[in-house]
Amino acid sequence: MAKKRARKYKKQEPLTVREKISRYMRGNKSRDTRPELRLRQALWQGGLRGYRVHWPKAPGKPDVCYPGRRLAIFVHGCFWHRCPYCQHNLPKTNLTFWQDKFEKNVVRDARYKQLYREAGWQRVIIWECQLQQNLEGCLILIRALHRGVPAIWQVAA
């Protein structure tokens, strides 16, 4: 019989606050986030299938896209995209970096809004807080847009 070797573990020093924050921030994903998965599960259960996830042919790779219906759905995190309803506080350290980052996110979102408008697509933003508070209302809106909307009705999203 072979002898089992005893494993030697390195004793790790505790992480500093900066290292902990850095580790948490690296854990944030850009796709397949909890709000995205929650919306996609609700769409699937609601019978709104046939969507594409992060479809690369649409500007900004929308989180959920119905290319045949020309409907793009973006699920925005309240913190990262500066939700007008929640108004999260800015981080206390490295303030200029965070202000610049958030400003770029907002400018990019406005650019995508213009691109979709010019292409004749319907673009909907679902905020993370809206999914938590009123998932059914979000589904009603998406279902109405999925069926098609009259030409006189504009989505102010």
Side-chain angles (χ1 to χ4, degrees), residues 8-121:
K8 294 182 182 178
Y9 293 101
K10 273 188 174 179
K11 188 173 182 180
Q12 292 182 345
E13 294 182 26
L15 297 174
T16 64
V17 173
R18 283 189 103 101
E19 292 169 336
K20 284 182 184 178
I21 291 172
S22 178
R23 183 175 287 178
Y24 294 144
M25 294 310 248
R26 273 186 267 128
N28 291 323
K29 303 181 294 182
S30 63
R31 52 189 308 162
D32 297 332
T33 60
R34 282 188 194 144
E36 255 184 72
L37 294 175
R38 186 172 182 198
L39 178 66
R40 291 192 333 228
Q41 181 182 23
L43 290 172
W44 189 264
Q45 290 174 349
L48 294 169
R49 299 176 182 168
Y51 53 81
R52 299 284 174 259
V53 178
H54 303 284
W55 195 52
K57 294 181 182 177
K61 296 183 187 175
D63 299 315
V64 177
C65 183
Y66 293 96
R69 307 223 183 247
R70 301 177 69 85
L71 172 62
I73 303 166
F74 288 89
V75 181
H76 281 347
C78 293
F79 177 75
W80 299 105
H81 293 269
R82 310 316 290 166
C83 175
Y85 311 112
C86 296
Q87 298 182 1
H88 287 278
N89 293 331
L90 289 171
K92 294 194 179 9
T93 58
N94 208 358
L95 192 60
T96 56
F97 166 80
W98 287 108
Q99 286 175 330
D100 185 47
K101 179 170 185 57
F102 294 143
E103 187 177 308
K104 285 179 183 177
N105 285 352
V106 171
V107 168
R108 184 186 64 229
D109 293 341
R111 188 177 72 239
Y112 289 150
K113 180 179 182 177
Q114 186 63 32
L115 288 172
Y116 279 103
R117 187 171 286 161
E118 290 171 358
W121 279 56

